[in-house]
Amino acid sequence: LLRLAPVFYLALLLMYIFNVPNTRETFWWHIFYLSNIHFAITNSYHQYVAHLWSLAVEFQFYLVWPLVMLFLSKKAIFISILVTVPAVLTYRFLCPVLGVPEIAMWVLPPYSLDALLLGALLALLSHHGKISSNDWWFKICAWSGATITAFGGHIFGPSEILVHTGPTLLAIFFSWVVLRAAEGGEGRPWKILQNKTWVNIGKISYGIYVFHLAVQYLLEPKLKTLFSTTNAWTDIGTAMSMMLISTALATISWRYFEEPINRYRRHF
């Protein structure tokens, strides 16, 4: 709550003040982290608040998962994860068959639950010393999944199976990446990830995500006018400028707003 909510509500307040399209009309849905439910009901994204659906899913997970941790045994937790992840795949395959609109399928919690639960499973196994990034079976699963996701479509052609299993395969791969990084991976790729610049971008990346569409709405027309004399460079100059401004805004937010609030975590 201390990490996620303050800058979320700050961004939402600023979007309301500057009348970013669709913010005021859907304000209370976002306030209560129900953006995804609203998008599912209306079967539509609203361009400049569209990204809030993923934060709603994340927050909904964080409301439920602590209860699971508190009231289920370790064995029951493992079983529930191992049962739910295949259930997510079933959900993805059944939704089109049952006529569930695509947007509703994507934004409701079940669609993302495999990644969230695989992260939770990784944390549990790692905490109890039951898993390592050097485990041969983990490496095979991770890299096979990444390879199939990246090249499966080119080899086998368009496939519903790849569309629906791809997110799960990528979640397994990035679980391995997270663990490998946490263990202090050696070699050039890991040294790059340990670079201070990337680490600092990681710290403020949540702020970049929260602010970037509001920045687009407020500044894109002005920036396009500014860069219009460069013809082919208009879009590139506009995109780069918006990225830099979003990053600067997130940096200021982290330094003077988020980080001071985060210090209170030591009291809990």
Side-chain angles (χ1 to χ4, degrees):
L1 188 67
L2 286 172
R3 177 68 191 99
L4 299 176
V7 69
F8 172 82
Y9 286 123
L10 174 64
L12 201 56
L13 178 62
L14 292 173
M15 290 163 71
Y16 187 94
I17 292 170
F18 286 100
N19 198 20
V20 174
N22 301 118
T23 303
R24 294 181 179 180
E25 300 93 318
T26 57
F27 187 71
W28 292 104
W29 290 94
H30 307 309
I31 281 286
F32 292 106
Y33 282 97
L34 295 173
S35 312
N36 60 329
I37 305 299
H38 178 70
F39 297 152
I41 291 171
T42 59
N43 191 33
S44 64
Y45 290 116
H46 302 303
Q47 183 178 357
Y48 296 108
V49 293
H51 61 315
L52 302 182
W53 77 267
S54 64
L55 306 183
V57 169
E58 188 178 8
F59 199 83
Q60 288 156 15
F61 176 75
Y62 290 149
L63 286 177
V64 175
W65 185 246
L67 300 176
V68 174
M69 293 288 289
L70 284 169
F71 295 112
L72 292 186
S73 66
K74 288 179 190 175
K75 184 177 180 181
I77 291 170
F78 284 118
I79 292 172
S80 66
I81 293 173
L82 295 175
V83 169
T84 305
V85 171
V88 170
L89 293 172
T90 305
Y91 165 86
R92 290 194 189 126
F93 280 101
L94 281 180
C95 279
V97 175
L98 297 175
V100 177
E102 278 192 344
I103 290 177
M105 177 182 75
W106 290 330
V107 302
L108 291 175
Y111 191 89
S112 305
L113 203 53
D114 54 342
L116 291 163
L117 286 175
L118 285 169
L121 179 63
L122 175 67
L124 286 167
L125 292 173
S126 178
H127 179 72
H128 294 291
K130 302 288 187 182
I131 195 169
S132 166
S133 62
N134 288 317
D135 291 339
W136 64 269
W137 60 269
F138 197 8
K139 284 183 180 178
I140 289 174
C141 289
W143 285 98
S144 297
T147 304
I148 291 169
T149 306
F151 302 109
H154 299 288
I155 298 170
F156 304 109
S159 166
E160 284 291 309
I161 294 175
L162 286 174
V163 168
H164 295 313
T165 58
T168 307
L169 296 174
L170 282 180
I172 294 170
F173 173 73
F174 283 112
S175 294
W176 180 82
V177 171
V178 166
L179 184 60
R180 185 69 172 169
E183 290 174 345
E186 297 177 356
R188 184 168 293 177
W190 308 105
K191 294 295 181 187
I192 292 171
L193 290 177
Q194 290 161 12
N195 179 278
K196 282 187 177 181
T197 300
W198 291 118
V199 172
N200 288 329
I201 290 173
K203 278 184 181 178
I204 64 169
S205 60
Y206 176 57
I208 295 172
Y209 183 75
V210 172
F211 288 122
H212 81 283
L213 287 183
V215 169
Q216 180 185 2
Y217 167 70
L218 293 169
L219 297 178
E220 186 175 29
K222 297 178 180 65
L223 289 168
K224 282 197 170 183
T225 301
L226 178 66
F227 287 105
S228 61
T229 54
T230 59
N231 297 322
W233 290 95
T234 300
D235 290 338
I236 295 174
T238 300
M240 292 295 291
S241 297
M242 288 191 297
M243 184 175 71
L244 290 171
I245 292 165
S246 297
T247 303
L249 187 59
T251 302
I252 294 167
S253 172
W254 171 259
R255 177 68 182 85
Y256 297 106
F257 184 68
E258 296 168 69
E259 189 177 27
I261 292 173
N262 269 259
R263 293 190 194 121
Y264 287 100
R265 286 192 293 181
R266 68 180 183 272
H267 298 301
F268 298 95

